[in-house]
Amino acid sequence: MNIWSYIFRRILYVIPVILGVCFIIFFIFNVCAPDPAQSLLGKHATLQQMEEVRRELGLNKPYWEQYIDIVKSAFTFDFGRSWQTKQEIIEMIKLGAVPSMTMTVPAFVISTILAIIISLMVSFFRGSALDRVTVITCVALMSIPSLAYILFGQWFFAYELGLFEISGYESGFPYFVPYIILPVTIWVFLAIGPDVRFFRTVMLDEVYQDYVRTARAKGLSEKKILFKHILKNAMIPIITYVIIQIPFLILGALLLESFFSIPGLGAMTITAVNASDFPVIKAMTVLSAVAYIIFTIITDVLYTVVDPRIRLK
Amino acid sequence: MRNLKNLSFLALSLLLTLGFQSCTKKQNLDEKVLNLAVTAEIKGLDPIYANDLYSSSEVARVYEGLLEYHYLQRPYTLTPNLAEAMPTVSEDGLTYTFKIKQGVLFHDDAAFPEGKGRELVAEDFVYSIKRLADPKLQGLGWWMIDGKIAGLNEWRAKNAEKDSVDYSEKIEGLQALDKYTLQFKLTKPFPQFLYSLAMPFTFAVAKEAVEKYGKEFINHPVGTGPFVLPVYQQSNKIVYTKNPNFRKKLFPTGASEQFKEIEAANKGKTLPLVEKVIVNLMKESQPRWLNFQKGRIDYISVPKDNFDSAITPDNGLTGNLAKLGIELAILPSLDVTYTAFNHDLKLFQNVNLRRAMALAVDVHESNKLFYNGKSLPAQSIVPPGIAGYEKNFTSPYREKDLEKAKALLAKAGYPEGKGLPEITYDCPSSTVSRQQAEHFKKQMAELGINIKVIQNTWPELQKKIQKRSIQMWGIAWGADYPDAENFLQLLYGPNRAPGANGSGYDNADFNRLFEKATVMQDLPERTALYEKLNRMAAEEVPLIYGVHRQNFTVKHSFLKNFIPTDFDAGQAQYLDIDLKAKAEVLKKL
């Protein structure tokens, strides 16, 4: 099948998925969630005012209309205004996406490249002391809660040693750089454990394949076997693992943004959850769902690029 | 070779360290900049939505009202701001006439011809208060003027039905008599009305700016205040600069005894005293605390987690902080925490049961557990610092006395708790609220009362209270203005939920006295009535009172004129930075 018709067909499949996702979001936030009127109006709310607020927010509309509104927003990206801050949600998202990505993209790239290099090394020296030490270190890194990295990093490296800014953010390159070095470093430490363990497993699966033995028998160098054969064949699970994480890079890192006062989408989502700001939560949920679906399609298409044996159907 | 490797490693480390060193920014000591931290997101900069402490502080940097709290006086006293003087009040207490200051300019903004801010006139207040009453805008301060200004409720109701709100219609109780004279006519005497004119809800906005920016007005603040912020973008940092057109406002005089020194040091200075105000959003306590210790924030409330390392048992500062010249200010907050009964339930109409339950609570233990032992056990509903609170009054149902509690429980008809159903206790879902609920449960178990704790999200809890589908719950009330009426109203029958009286307590004697007190001017007779009401509230135990919290604020020595306040509407204009002292302090940090 032609790649474009495949993409077109997949996009058509996306429509019922989005409708389903919208239904779940509608059910959670419009049917099950408590009435927000009083919490929005504060401690002096009157019944009449609450009624007016419900009308203003469209909460007195029939359920089917409220569902249509969510579906519309998923396709038009017009999410209305935040209940709490009265800001246009799409503007809030635009403003927040850049700071999120200035932190998450470098962190993701560095941690992924490092993890692939380390995994290749340990699979080359599989069973050796280096392999064991790496695996133990990975498990140890994974066992420490992310909050501990953040608290320690902020206190020791930023406050005690004064090497980094404790928190904050400034827009534009290179002004944001001093503010993201520490959160990026912490991200790398957080991500490297699970990444190395996953990549190592994937590569070891390949290491014991017949084609590797054949390559060795033919006298190919270990370097060539690792980089040309093993890495190439391990790319499919690696691509899946990597690309599926991309939507979450746009959406930011909840704890890191909150602790480092980075005005990204992660911090925005936490604030919205704490304030029961449903339009913002709904917008973020719809966006994540849409982004997840899009990146799944991209993953499928990329499979054919790394492995021509795979055909799109 | 090995040495060479080591050397390279050392050189690389050094380079990295130097590289990182340049990653931290030096503080600007060329101009006076106030560095503040807020712990919650700002809800935009439209006065009519400023219903929380954070948003109202921000709004008050840009906008101003007719009145303000005198910066150097305690107890809190209203003083003219944009008003020329305090109003003249008619004999019947219904008509308030204000003269407003002449020559006050709005900030320069594209909303005005040639971008030049025009003069503020009395009509701007008429417009601003109509905006607060506009049914389409749902201003969050409507409760403050609801039913109080003649003709305003009718105007609101009429316009609720229309597609667009008619601002041109004349309202009997809200009129600009001429360019500089503003008159309010109230529907009934209500001296607390003046407090609403010091609240950001009623601050003056310019019609031109509202019309130009429409829904985006919330992001384009245009006021008359000491600082300007042309466009507000939701971010982690808001930077205000000094308003170049600010009128000549002098540092206040007439300080209370404890602030005479500040008055003397600043006599004749024009406000604001700093060039810039930077407000940093720091939601988490660790970065806030560390930034303060590095001198990047000028003052903060001591975070709960750092309390023990910062404050000594005798309310002093620990050695490290004291050595750096950091200073501590303790402010009893105007608030009260309490456990409420749903008085609709026959069970809780039994005063002996309520008293028994109150006597089973060890307020000192909960103070230690949840407030580092630094709160004040509440004897009744009115907090210290306002008229109606009596320093030496102690409630007969405050100190834990299990024997007396058991006797009262038996008198209530439930000896050792027999015959009592399991009682549900609802609390918000935060960790501390749950812990407090569990502590309450444990104490009630000592009396033989079974409590079931239910956690709720905040909206769920509100809904339950409003629908009366709740038995007991824990909550707190903070003052909107410094008047006992604001607390006593929590027990006024007609105020039942969804009004402020969530418990639905309704006592005819209390209601009658409350109605009498609240229409009286601030005179000793009114204070006597407030005290009587407060004693009734202690005797009848309509709520189990918890504590009045205290705010522990630490500040750097280079920050001048700082006075902790419950009502930060414009505080930044009075604060000053001693740049020389700051440079010295920063060297030590």
Side-chain angles (χ1 to χ4, degrees):
Chain A
M1 182 191 281
N2 175 310
I3 194 162
W4 294 110
S5 33
Y6 173 78
I7 292 172
F8 180 70
R9 271 183 59 186
R10 284 295 303 264
I11 288 172
L12 285 184
Y13 289 150
V14 164
I15 294 170
V17 177
I18 291 181
L19 290 179
V21 167
C22 288
F23 182 77
I24 296 168
I25 294 168
F26 158 77
F27 191 74
I28 294 172
F29 295 111
N30 293 49
V31 181
C32 301
D35 183 359
Q38 182 151 19
S39 59
L40 289 176
L41 287 169
K43 57 188 187 179
H44 295 283
T46 64
L47 276 176
Q48 188 201 349
Q49 257 188 305
M50 286 194 280
E51 201 41 57
E52 285 168 351
V53 164
R54 282 187 204 111
R55 198 168 54 227
E56 199 70 24
L57 300 176
L59 298 174
N60 58 349
K61 286 185 194 170
Y63 277 142
W64 65 268
E65 271 190 51
Q66 295 185 40
Y67 173 66
I68 298 282
D69 285 347
I70 296 180
V71 174
K72 262 194 216 161
S73 68
F75 285 99
T76 60
F77 289 165
D78 177 6
F79 300 107
R81 284 180 183 262
S82 150
W83 286 348
Q84 281 294 322
T85 63
K86 310 271 189 292
Q87 311 286 329
E88 284 263 21
I89 295 173
I90 195 67
E91 287 304 314
M92 290 166 75
I93 290 172
K94 279 184 204 163
L95 276 174
V98 175
S100 282
M101 286 196 290
T102 54
M103 178 188 71
T104 55
V105 171
F108 177 69
V109 171
I110 294 169
S111 59
T112 307
I113 292 174
L114 267 179
I116 290 176
I117 293 171
I118 295 170
S119 317
L120 275 170
M121 271 170 56
V122 293
S123 42
F124 181 74
F125 294 109
R126 61 200 169 276
S128 68
L130 176 75
D131 184 21
R132 280 197 292 273
V133 168
T134 310
V135 173
I136 291 169
T137 310
C138 287
V139 174
L141 286 174
M142 288 162 69
S143 312
I144 301 168
S146 51
L147 199 58
Y149 285 98
I150 296 172
L151 294 177
F152 178 78
Q154 259 182 346
W155 169 74
F156 186 70
F157 293 108
Y159 175 72
E160 284 291 335
L161 300 183
L163 296 177
F164 311 103
E165 290 290 335
I166 296 166
S167 67
Y169 189 83
E170 271 178 39
S171 301
F173 183 79
Y175 310 109
F176 65 77
V177 175
Y179 297 96
I180 62 154
I181 295 177
L182 186 55
V184 164
T185 312
I186 291 173
W187 174 302
V188 171
F189 270 93
L190 283 168
I192 208 124
D195 282 5
V196 167
R197 270 175 58 83
F198 178 77
F199 296 152
R200 178 183 170 275
T201 310
V202 167
M203 285 169 194
L204 284 180
D205 277 350
E206 294 298 322
V207 163
Y208 295 110
Q209 295 289 325
D210 280 344
Y211 74 86
V212 176
R213 205 177 302 127
T214 310
R216 280 211 183 94
K218 282 163 74 179
L220 287 182
S221 70
E222 282 295 330
K223 199 172 153 191
K224 212 166 189 179
I225 294 170
L226 268 180
F227 285 96
K228 199 170 172 193
H229 296 280
I230 296 179
L231 184 58
K232 195 176 170 189
N233 284 302
M235 276 317 273
I236 288 183
I238 291 176
I239 285 176
T240 314
Y241 183 83
V242 167
I243 294 188
I244 291 303
Q245 291 186 54
I246 292 176
F248 303 104
L249 304 183
I250 302 162
L251 300 173
L254 304 184
L255 268 184
L256 280 170
E257 285 184 8
S258 198
F259 269 85
F260 286 94
S261 300
I262 294 171
L265 297 182
M268 187 181 103
T269 309
I270 286 193
T271 308
V273 170
N274 288 338
S276 299
D277 194 349
F278 294 148
V280 176
I281 306 172
K282 274 192 262 185
M284 294 306 290
T285 319
V286 168
L287 260 188
S288 347
V290 172
Y292 192 83
I293 293 165
I294 290 170
F295 281 95
T296 312
I297 299 175
I298 294 174
T299 315
D300 288 350
V301 173
L302 278 178
Y303 287 164
T304 61
V305 177
V306 293
D307 190 347
R309 290 170 301 174
I310 294 176
R311 298 215 168 167
L312 298 171
K313 281 189 180 172
Chain B
M1 186 68 184
R2 198 182 171 85
N3 282 343
L4 195 67
K5 264 188 182 170
N6 286 343
L7 205 65
S8 317
F9 178 71
L10 263 175
L12 187 68
S13 311
L14 195 68
L15 269 175
L16 278 173
T17 311
L18 285 174
F20 287 149
Q21 281 291 4
S22 64
C23 287
T24 53
K25 284 182 68 182
K26 287 248 161 9
Q27 287 215 56
N28 177 10
L29 292 174
D30 297 334
E31 57 178 355
K32 290 181 176 183
V33 180
L34 199 60
N35 288 291
L36 310 177
V38 289
T39 58
E41 203 104 17
I42 307 305
K43 294 184 196 166
L45 285 165
D46 185 337
I48 63 169
Y49 298 121
N51 74 330
D52 63 296
L53 190 68
Y54 309 105
S55 306
S56 56
S57 303
E58 300 314 311
V59 162
R61 302 190 206 291
V62 176
Y63 293 99
E64 292 179 289
L66 282 168
L67 304 176
E68 65 179 345
Y69 292 104
H70 194 295
Y71 189 62
L72 300 177
Q73 283 184 11
R74 294 292 182 276
Y76 294 103
T77 313
L78 287 174
T79 187
N81 190 18
L82 288 178
E84 189 67 56
M86 290 305 281
T88 52
V89 185
S90 64
E91 261 183 39
D92 59 5
L94 291 176
T95 307
Y96 289 70
T97 309
F98 284 92
K99 282 279 175 199
I100 68 162
K101 284 195 172 108
Q102 299 186 17
V104 175
L105 297 176
F106 277 106
H107 300 162
D108 291 344
D109 189 89
F112 302 113
E114 292 169 29
K116 291 276 167 214
R118 66 155 170 83
E119 189 186 14
L120 169 98
V121 292
E123 195 60 49
D124 288 313
F125 282 103
V126 173
Y127 174 75
S128 303
I129 292 167
K130 276 183 180 167
R131 260 193 101 233
L132 178 58
D134 185 336
K136 309 281 184 219
L137 296 178
Q138 290 301 330
L140 298 175
W142 166 244
W143 61 272
M144 191 68 219
I145 50 171
D146 185 8
K148 298 191 176 100
I149 297 175
L152 193 60
N153 279 58
E154 291 77 1
W155 178 83
R156 179 181 163 97
K158 200 193 308 170
N159 282 290
E161 307 302 323
K162 294 181 183 168
D163 288 336
S164 64
V165 176
D166 179 12
Y167 275 71
S168 64
E169 192 183 326
K170 210 169 172 184
I171 292 169
E172 189 202 345
L174 178 62
Q175 289 190 50
L177 302 184
D178 59 45
K179 202 174 170 187
Y180 302 111
T181 311
L182 180 69
Q183 192 174 72
F184 296 99
K185 279 187 185 158
L186 304 188
T187 51
K188 59 180 181 188
F190 185 66
Q192 293 78 13
F193 171 69
L194 288 181
Y195 290 117
S196 66
L197 304 177
M199 293 167 92
F201 298 130
T202 58
F203 283 7
V205 301
K207 190 179 179 185
E208 297 91 323
V210 176
E211 285 174 355
K212 178 175 170 60
Y213 298 114
K215 281 197 166 177
E216 283 301 304
F217 174 66
I218 199 161
N219 297 321
H220 292 266
V222 184
T224 61
F227 298 99
V228 288
L229 175 72
V231 178
Y232 165 66
Q233 260 197 344
Q234 274 220 314
S235 166
N236 62 334
K237 191 192 260 187
I238 313 174
V239 182
Y240 300 87
T241 51
K242 195 173 181 170
N243 171 11
N245 301 332
F246 194 53
R247 66 183 178 281
K248 192 176 179 190
K249 183 177 179 182
L250 298 179
F251 202 87
T253 52
S256 300
E257 204 45 51
Q258 71 264 43
F259 306 128
K260 286 279 182 209
E261 225 172 277
I262 297 179
E263 180 185 342
N266 293 281
K267 208 169 184 181
K269 287 185 184 169
T270 51
L271 301 175
L273 301 172
V274 294
E275 299 300 319
K276 212 181 254 181
V277 180
I278 301 180
V279 180
N280 300 280
L281 173 63
M282 292 181 188
K283 289 181 197 160
E284 303 297 337
S285 63
Q286 166 157 300
R288 217 162 50 239
W289 184 240
L290 297 179
N291 272 302
F292 168 74
Q293 288 185 284
K294 277 279 178 202
R296 289 173 182 269
I297 299 296
D298 299 333
Y299 71 87
I300 61 165
S301 280
V302 181
K304 194 174 177 293
D305 296 341
N306 304 96
F307 207 89
D308 290 338
S309 63
I311 310 294
T312 60
D314 57 345
N315 287 351
L317 277 174
T318 51
N320 283 350
L321 298 179
K323 260 185 232 162
L324 296 173
I326 289 168
E327 293 157 18
L328 173 69
I330 303 171
L331 174 78
S333 300
L334 290 180
D335 76 355
V336 62
T337 66
Y338 58 86
T339 298
F341 301 101
N342 179 354
H343 289 274
D344 286 2
L345 304 175
K346 204 160 184 316
L347 182 70
F348 296 126
Q349 288 165 7
N350 185 336
V351 68
N352 288 317
L353 173 65
R354 301 198 303 263
R355 286 171 176 167
M357 290 174 87
L359 282 170
V361 172
D362 188 341
V363 71
H364 302 289
E365 196 182 27
S366 41
N367 189 10
K368 259 189 223 154
L369 279 171
F370 304 112
Y371 304 103
N372 302 296
K374 303 295 182 190
S375 290
L376 305 170
Q379 300 300 329
S380 184
I381 199 163
V382 178
I386 49 179
Y389 172 82
E390 293 171 274
K391 201 178 173 189
N392 298 322
F393 171 71
T394 48
S395 161
Y397 306 105
R398 171 70 291 169
E399 292 301 317
K400 182 169 180 169
D401 185 340
L402 218 46
E403 287 316 304
K404 201 171 155 192
K406 281 178 180 168
L408 277 168
L409 192 62
K411 202 173 161 193
Y414 307 105
E416 293 168 8
K418 281 174 198 147
L420 264 180
E422 184 182 57
I423 295 172
T424 56
Y425 180 101
D426 284 75
C427 66
S429 53
S430 73
T431 311
V432 176
S433 298
R434 186 178 51 75
Q435 290 165 343
Q436 285 173 328
E438 290 297 337
H439 187 237
F440 181 73
K441 178 182 175 173
K442 186 201 96 182
Q443 295 187 101
M444 290 303 114
E446 290 175 36
L447 198 57
I449 299 176
N450 287 327
I451 297 286
K452 184 183 170 194
V453 173
I454 300 171
Q455 291 181 71
N456 306 269
T457 61
W458 184 243
E460 271 168 8
L461 182 64
Q462 301 267 10
K463 190 177 180 181
K464 281 185 178 177
I465 296 170
Q466 178 202 328
K467 289 181 82 177
R468 328 289 304 139
S469 59
I470 192 164
Q471 294 192 346
M472 295 190 78
W473 65 100
I475 209 159
W477 183 269
D480 298 293
Y481 43 85
D483 191 305
E485 179 265 352
N486 194 240
F487 288 89
L488 293 165
Q489 62 155 344
L490 302 182
L491 301 173
Y492 177 55
N495 263 1
R496 58 180 281 123
N501 178 2
S503 75
Y505 177 71
D506 196 359
N507 175 324
D509 292 337
F510 187 95
N511 293 348
R512 191 177 40 78
L513 273 183
F514 179 84
E515 281 160 13
K516 193 174 165 192
T518 51
V519 296
M520 290 167 73
Q521 294 293 332
D522 184 5
L523 296 166
E525 291 79 11
R526 185 180 75 167
T527 303
L529 272 184
Y530 277 166
E531 286 170 357
K532 194 171 176 185
L533 283 161
N534 195 35
R535 280 164 183 266
M536 278 174 85
E539 191 66 35
E540 284 286 305
V541 197
L543 313 165
I544 300 176
Y545 305 106
V547 296
H548 304 297
R549 290 173 286 199
Q550 293 209 98
N551 192 3
F552 285 68
T553 307
V554 277
K555 72 166 204 71
H556 284 289
S557 53
F558 54 76
L559 175 68
K560 300 293 172 194
N561 311 336
F562 176 79
I563 299 170
T565 173
D566 281 295
F567 307 101
D568 173 14
Q571 186 187 41
Q573 64 191 305
Y574 303 106
L575 299 179
D576 198 2
I577 299 288
D578 182 338
L579 287 174
K580 224 169 155 186
K582 185 168 181 174
E584 289 305 310
V585 168
L586 289 181
K587 278 184 208 161
K588 292 190 225 163
L589 300 176

